[in-house]
Amino acid sequence: QQAWVRAQTIGKGIKVNIIRGLTVFNNKVRDQSGDYQNGGYGFVDPLTSVLIWVGVFGILFKMATQSYRKEEDFLMVGSLFLLLFIFSFIVNKAPHYPRLLVILPFAAYFTIAGVKIISDGTERVARKFLFLPSQHMRGVVFGFTVGVIMFLNVSMFWDYAKKGLVEGNTVGGT
C-alpha cells in the first residue's frame, strides 16, 4: 500500500487508503484498478455524492428521534457502513471501482432518500412561508433533481467515451 499511494511510510499509506475509502463518494480520486480512467470525476457525480449523505443522515436522524421502525432502512444503513468500512480498512487500492460496484444499490437507495427528504422539505417551505400551493411541488423538485442527476451522469459518460474515441480504449491499463 505504501508504494501504491507513494507514501513515505507504511502507516501513511494505510491512512491514505482509509481516507480514500471512506470518502469514496465525495472525492475525485481516479479509479485505482486502472479500468476507468476518467479524471476529474469521482465514483458518483457531485450532486449524487451530496444526496447520498443527505439520505443516510436523514434516515439516521429519523431512527434516533422517532419511533421509526422500517426494517429495510436498518438493513441498508448497516450494509452500507459495513461495506464502506471493509473497502476502507481491509481492501487496498481504494477507490477500486470494480470492487465498489456492489455498493451501488445502497448509493441509489440513499440518493433517492435524499431527494425525497429535499423535496418534502421544499414542499413544507413552499406551503408554510411562501404561501404557494404545494400540491405538485414535491413532484416538481423530485423530477428536476432526478433530471439534473441524469444530465450529470450522461455528461460524465460522454467525457469518458470521448476520451476513448480520441485516445483509444484505456480499459485494463495500469
Side-chain angles (χ1 to χ4, degrees):
Q1 188 60 47
Q2 176 185 359
W4 190 260
V5 298
R6 295 178 181 91
Q8 294 177 348
T9 65
I10 293 172
K12 287 183 181 179
I14 292 170
K15 181 180 176 183
V16 167
N17 188 70
I18 291 170
I19 290 170
R20 285 181 179 177
L22 291 175
T23 61
V24 69
F25 297 121
N26 300 89
N27 66 31
K28 291 185 179 180
V29 177
R30 291 179 116 176
D31 173 37
Q32 299 298 299
S33 71
D35 288 343
Y36 303 99
Q37 298 303 317
N38 197 13
Y41 298 106
F43 185 57
V44 295
D45 65 85
L47 179 58
T48 300
S49 68
V50 171
L51 289 171
I52 288 170
W53 295 114
V54 168
V56 167
F57 290 116
I59 288 173
L60 287 173
F61 180 77
K62 282 182 185 178
M63 288 177 177
T65 60
Q66 301 172 1
S67 60
Y68 184 79
R69 298 289 181 253
K70 287 180 77 176
E71 291 83 9
E72 61 269 17
D73 285 343
F74 285 101
L75 175 68
M76 296 301 274
V77 168
S79 299
L80 173 75
F81 283 120
L82 176 69
L83 288 171
L84 198 56
F85 284 119
I86 287 172
F87 290 136
S88 299
F89 289 94
I90 298 173
V91 177
N92 66 351
K93 297 182 184 178
H96 195 284
Y97 290 0
R99 293 178 188 161
L100 289 171
L101 291 177
V102 72
I103 214 166
L104 280 179
F106 304 101
Y109 183 86
F110 290 114
T111 300
I112 294 300
V115 171
K116 186 176 181 322
I117 289 167
I118 290 173
S119 61
D120 289 348
T122 304
E123 180 187 28
R124 281 192 297 274
V125 167
R127 189 174 354 124
K128 191 171 189 175
F129 298 111
L130 303 176
F131 306 108
L132 295 173
S134 61
Q135 294 173 332
H136 304 292
M137 183 65 72
R138 182 184 304 165
V140 169
V141 171
F142 195 91
F144 177 76
T145 307
V146 170
V148 170
I149 290 170
M150 289 172 53
F151 173 78
L152 291 170
N153 280 282
V154 168
S155 173
M156 287 170 55
F157 173 75
W158 175 244
D159 287 348
Y160 179 72
K162 184 172 62 174
K163 182 177 179 183
L165 292 171
V166 172
E167 297 176 15
N169 189 355
T170 61
V171 173
T174 55

